[in-house]
Amino acid sequence: MSVTACQGLGFVVSLIGFAGIIAATCMDQWSTQDLYNNPVTAVFNYQGLWRSCVRESSGFTECRGYFTLLGLPAMLQAVRALMIVGIVLGVFGILVSVFALKCIRIGSMDDSAKAKMTLTSGILFIVSGVCAIIGVSVFANMLVTNFWMSTANMYSGMGGMVQTVQTRYTFGAALFVGWVAGGLTLIGGVMMCIACRGLTPDESNFKAVSYHASGQNVAYKPGGFKASTGFGSNVRNKKIYDAGARTEDDEQSHPTKFDYV
């Protein structure tokens, strides 16, 4: 899979998961009335994060919001906070990922900057999905605990011979939507992080300028300097003095006046 396809697919999957997180947060069917022992009833109760509703057999539905904050259970407030944090992180992830798409060019933005933005958006999507999954799981655990406690209280009277009427709640549709949406957002964030590796420029592709040493190596000595070409041993070495430049063969073949003294 190419980098552009992986990045685009991750963005689309994360966008669908983010929309699912918003839908799950706004839905009222987080917990629905269990009809196992009472399949025929005149009213049907279901609750969400923000309000509780009652639907009558005539089709009329009445909802009432939670007009208190301190009176709500601590677990419900924690679930609210996790879902809101997931939505906020998802918004930032979408804004960053739009500018990080490889198919969109903004000014002179290079691939290294897009790679960093892609990695950032992927991390934001991953954290957003994890927050949604944790929030839904915490609410589901609270439902399971209350369900079995209500079941135990129903059969507590007269040694289990008398059954008391209590309303029990089970999983609603919003829980499944939240789990699927959080998983999609998490998968999309992972795909964005994988695409970041392909957008990172390879450092070995940078052009380098090689430096070649000069053909003549000069060694300085007192009274002159000796120059050698360094291309082979058969090249004559020259000694250059203050008075002039003479080779060693010239000194041996041409006698000077000091030879006759």
Side-chain angles (χ1 to χ4, degrees):
M1 183 182 296
S2 62
V3 177
T4 305
C6 182
Q7 186 186 37
L9 184 59
F11 174 74
V12 173
V13 172
S14 299
L15 188 62
I16 296 174
F18 173 72
I21 293 175
I22 296 178
T25 305
C26 298
M27 290 176 65
D28 296 327
Q29 291 83 12
W30 280 70
S31 60
T32 58
Q33 183 179 354
D34 182 35
L35 301 178
Y36 178 75
N37 292 328
N38 190 15
V40 179
T41 179
V43 293
F44 178 73
N45 300 319
Y46 55 92
Q47 299 175 351
L49 296 180
W50 313 101
R51 61 181 183 175
S52 61
C53 300
V54 177
R55 186 177 63 202
E56 299 180 356
S57 58
S58 60
F60 178 75
T61 302
E62 181 182 0
C63 296
R64 183 179 181 182
Y66 303 135
F67 299 107
T68 179
L69 182 62
L70 299 179
L72 295 176
M75 299 298 291
L76 180 60
Q77 296 183 12
V79 172
R80 279 182 173 183
L82 286 171
M83 300 303 291
I84 292 175
V85 169
I87 293 175
V88 172
L89 293 177
V91 170
F92 284 110
I94 290 176
L95 293 177
V96 175
S97 60
V98 167
F99 295 102
L101 292 176
K102 193 175 182 180
C103 58
I104 298 177
R105 285 290 180 183
I106 301 177
S108 60
M109 185 180 298
D110 54 354
D111 290 340
S112 61
K114 284 184 174 293
K116 295 178 181 178
M117 295 177 67
T118 302
L119 179 61
T120 303
S121 62
I123 294 175
L124 290 174
F125 283 135
I126 291 175
V127 178
S128 175
V130 169
C131 288
I133 293 174
I134 292 176
V136 175
S137 300
V138 168
F139 193 89
N141 180 68
M142 183 174 60
L143 281 180
V144 171
T145 303
N146 294 335
F147 182 86
W148 292 114
M149 290 180 62
S150 301
T151 303
N153 294 330
M154 287 174 60
Y155 297 96
S156 61
M158 298 294 294
M161 299 298 294
V162 178
Q163 179 179 352
T164 59
V165 178
Q166 285 189 353
T167 302
R168 298 183 302 180
Y169 290 92
T170 184
F171 293 168
L175 296 181
F176 302 101
V177 174
W179 274 318
V180 174
L184 290 176
T185 309
L186 180 62
I187 293 173
V190 172
M191 295 181 67
M192 296 289 285
C193 293
I194 294 175
C196 168
R197 299 184 60 183
L199 293 174
T200 305
D202 191 2
E203 297 181 356
S204 61
N205 292 332
F206 289 113
K207 296 181 180 180
V209 179
S210 59
Y211 174 77
H212 298 282
S214 177
Q216 294 183 352
N217 298 326
V218 180
Y220 291 94
K221 291 184 178 181
F225 61 89
K226 181 179 180 181
S228 62
T229 58
F231 294 100
S233 60
N234 56 352
V235 181
R236 297 179 179 179
N237 296 328
K238 296 182 180 181
K239 292 183 179 179
I240 302 176
Y241 299 92
D242 297 335
R246 288 189 247 173
T247 61
E248 295 179 356
D249 295 342
D250 294 339
E251 292 180 358
Q252 296 178 1
S253 59
H254 300 283
T256 59
K257 63 180 181 178
F258 298 102
D259 295 335
Y260 298 98
V261 178

